[in-house]
Amino acid sequence: MATGETGFDDVTFDLISVQYHSLKAGHDYGQYVRDARNAGADEIAAFFEQVMAVDSERAQKCHHFLAKLTAEGTSSTSPQGAGGG
């Protein structure tokens, strides 16, 4: 498998990246929900909550795939190259 500059294979890096960005966005959306509620815009707050739920589901799916790759014992979830085994 191809490895990028991180030493991890591309698929593992991509899953970690999507998971991180989904979790980060979910954190930010919490503020958006509060802002909308404070403005009395309950319909918009509900929309932000839906968006947050989708990102949470996306992060969980990435976690599932990463756990599956690790359980399968693929070398793709371990750093490649210097000092790696």
Side-chain angles (χ1 to χ4, degrees):
M1 282 190 184
T3 58
E5 288 142 15
T6 64
F8 286 86
D9 75 281
D10 292 341
V11 173
T12 299
F13 179 86
D14 295 346
L15 284 168
I16 292 169
S17 181
V18 170
Q19 184 179 41
Y20 167 79
H21 289 288
S22 296
L23 292 170
K24 173 71 172 106
H27 179 268
D28 294 343
Y29 297 149
Q31 182 61 51
Y32 303 166
V33 171
R34 288 187 294 280
D35 291 345
R37 293 240 185 268
N38 289 339
D42 290 337
E43 185 177 14
I44 295 170
F47 165 73
F48 288 137
E49 287 171 337
Q50 288 176 327
V51 171
M52 190 170 19
V54 168
D55 270 331
S56 178
E57 184 178 331
R58 184 176 297 122
Q60 289 174 9
K61 190 78 166 187
C62 288
H63 187 76
H64 165 79
F65 285 133
L66 288 164
K68 184 176 176 182
L69 287 174
T70 302
E72 290 172 355
T74 63
S75 62
S76 63
T77 54
S78 298
Q80 308 296 308

